[in-house]
Amino acid sequence: MTQVKGGNTMLLGSVEAGGTKFVCAVGNEDYRIQDTTQFPTTTPKETLQKTIDYFKQFPDLKAISVASFGPIEIRHNSPKYGYITDTPKPGWSNVDFVGTLKQAFDLPIYWTTDVNGSAYGEYVLSTLFNQKINSLVYYTIGTGVGAGAVIDGKFVGEIGHTEMGHIRLKRHAADLDFKGICPFHGDCLEGLVAGPTFEARTGKKGKDVPLTDPVWDIMAYYVAQAALDTTLMFRPAKIIFGGGVVSEAFLKKVRAQFKDLLNDYVEVGDLDQYIVMPLAKNNGSATVGNFALALKTYLN
Amino acid sequence: MTQVKGGNTMLLGSVEAGGTKFVCAVGNEDYRIQDTTQFPTTTPKETLQKTIDYFKQFPDLKAISVASFGPIEIRHNSPKYGYITDTPKPGWSNVDFVGTLKQAFDLPIYWTTDVNGSAYGEYVLSTLFNQKINSLVYYTIGTGVGAGAVIDGKFVGEIGHTEMGHIRLKRHAADLDFKGICPFHGDCLEGLVAGPTFEARTGKKGKDVPLTDPVWDIMAYYVAQAALDTTLMFRPAKIIFGGGVVSEAFLKKVRAQFKDLLNDYVEVGDLDQYIVMPLAKNNGSATVGNFALALKTYLN
């Protein structure tokens, strides 16, 4: 049994449901983590049971927010609301995630995508850091690519969640022969810049490809296009890039290419403040977002 | 002096400020046009004076909404709020449009882009036609290409208005030699599908190019990509295409290519209901939008 410090504060639950691992945490209304655990994503039955067992340790829990890998059903008027739908991950298609938690807990449960959770966390942190912004878009570039958009505290997406990782891009002249690795679309954004593209292009893992290698310029060209299209379609206050592929040195390249592509067409302010790494360190954005969404759900 | 019928209803003003002509209208809170006029866009001085002279005929006017060509400044906290900013149109850069109207009229004035006005008109009409939707994106494809997005009755765009006409696209294999006609970006969406691209590609005007010509398939491929990126980034309830280049026969081609590109990755419902022509006939969306925005401004 895990002891929680400061027993008088409100306890909120966070589930980051990733395709590789689950990270569960409890925290307070000030978004601080009080306790956390993680375990590999195995079968739905086993993994959801571990999730339930973890939160059962905290009888004072007020609400839980889940930021899940997808695709997921987020429309409240759908009979499949709360489900993971047609995922390529074996065994996880058509799994009633929220329903399973609801059977174990008589608590409000918030349900959104992993990237929406992260986007919301960055939105909340921006306010805490005294940045007066009302909109942002958060991209993660790792094993896959996804993004979430928050405008005025709400997620963008009416008939389902966004899937910005799969937009199409102008191909780089030096990369025309690369077919891309997305099983659905070939050379969409994910197919061109997800982590595994390093092995597909160079035979080496991304971490073993020095930043001086021209493949990084090709990557930056595509990520800059994603930032450009995001700018033209949302005019958000900032665009955040997180995930294993992203570093500050890489974003420097992205900003330079973005500047060329935009050609001063619209104003975005200081580029160093506009295209940025997450405020939360160690991929912690989603946990903060979950605490904030759990709190919001509890208060409504 | 123009007589207005039904004197007891509220009078609202609409300005569609286009680069070629201005259309001014007065209408009621039920969005019906009572009177309208149009004149060519000449100098700012002359054109804005004609606009003022027109509305001076209606002393009962309660509010005016302007849907203008751009780029324009829409941020209320900017000293240039209400201006047309750096437009390529000679003489119209740095023109204080709203300020000039404010000097002539002691009325609330709403200020947005031409495409936002049209998007809002289609949003309002959708509700009147009993379509339960909360979001849409409206594209116009004519001399230029632009789009506006409405979510929950609000325009998307925090640090400025959207400029979706300039997103980048994957080039069509049979069109790689065409450099595009956008003076800022070459082969952005506008550079690839605006009306004048017909002459640039074929030497003929679009209206003289039969729909069986393969150039229409190239056009459909790019417009389908715009619809795809819009889908993945917004998940709106519908996407509307208006403007001189668009016809129902052309949208049929767009839907077919969209279906291929999407590859069933997300659900969008019935494609014939999702990718559509405007509900307002004869490019009337912006006038309806202006009446609704003028009313909203008056009531706030």
Side-chain angles (χ1 to χ4, degrees), chain A residues 1 46 51 63 66 108 110 179 197 213 223 252 289:
Chain A
M1 169 96 192
E46 183 181 53
T51 304
V66 183
Y110 194 87
K179 293 206 179 311
T197 58
D213 191 302
V223 174
K252 207 168 249 185

Side-chain angles (χ1 to χ4, degrees), chain A residues 61-217:
Chain A
L61 212 57
K62 296 293 185 219
I64 299 172
S65 175
V66 183
S68 177
F69 71 99
I72 67 175
E73 181 56 81
I74 58 162
R75 290 172 299 180
H76 284 269
N77 61 357
S78 164
K80 295 275 167 134
Y81 173 80
Y83 279 61
I84 293 179
T85 56
D86 293 325
T87 176
K89 189 167 172 66
W92 282 85
S93 278
N94 215 20
V95 164
D96 185 5
F97 200 126
V98 172
T100 305
L101 292 188
K102 281 269 183 198
Q103 280 186 355
F105 301 99
D106 184 22
L107 292 177
I109 293 174
Y110 194 87
W111 172 242
T112 194
T113 62
D114 41 13
V115 279
N116 273 356
S118 295
Y120 202 79
E122 289 295 313
Y123 184 77
V124 165
L125 287 173
S126 296
T127 313
L128 292 178
F129 279 67
N130 273 323
Q131 296 177 359
K132 286 186 184 163
I133 68 169
N134 297 313
S135 60
L136 60 77
V137 179
Y138 173 99
Y139 279 86
T140 184
I141 306 178
T143 316
V145 178
V150 180
I151 300 178
D152 295 333
K154 288 184 192 163
F155 294 121
V156 170
E158 177 179 353
I159 63 167
H161 55 78
T162 57
E163 282 284 1
M164 305 192 205
H166 299 270
I167 59 170
R168 298 306 198 278
L169 304 170
K170 184 178 177 186
R171 297 298 305 272
H172 190 288
D175 190 50
L176 293 176
D177 292 337
F178 181 59
K179 293 206 179 311
I181 61 165
C182 173
F184 296 97
H185 315 109
D187 63 349
C188 64
L189 175 61
E190 177 170 302
L192 292 172
V193 306
T197 58
F198 281 102
E199 279 154 289
R201 281 199 186 90
T202 69
K204 288 187 276 188
K205 283 185 187 298
K207 65 179 174 57
D208 299 325
V209 179
L211 216 66
T212 48
D213 191 302
V215 76
W216 279 107
D217 296 313

Side-chain angles (χ1 to χ4, degrees), chain B residues 7-25:
Chain B
N8 273 335
T9 53
M10 183 186 290
L11 261 198
L12 303 161
S14 162
V15 184
E16 283 174 71
T20 310
K21 67 176 183 200
F22 270 43
V23 180
C24 296

Side-chain angles (χ1 to χ4, degrees), chain A residues 135 158 161 168 235 261, chain B residues 135 158 161 168 235 261:
Chain A
S135 60
E158 177 179 353
H161 55 78
R168 298 306 198 278
R235 304 299 305 278
L261 288 167
Chain B
S135 59
E158 177 179 353
H161 56 78
R168 299 305 199 277
R235 303 300 304 277
L261 287 168

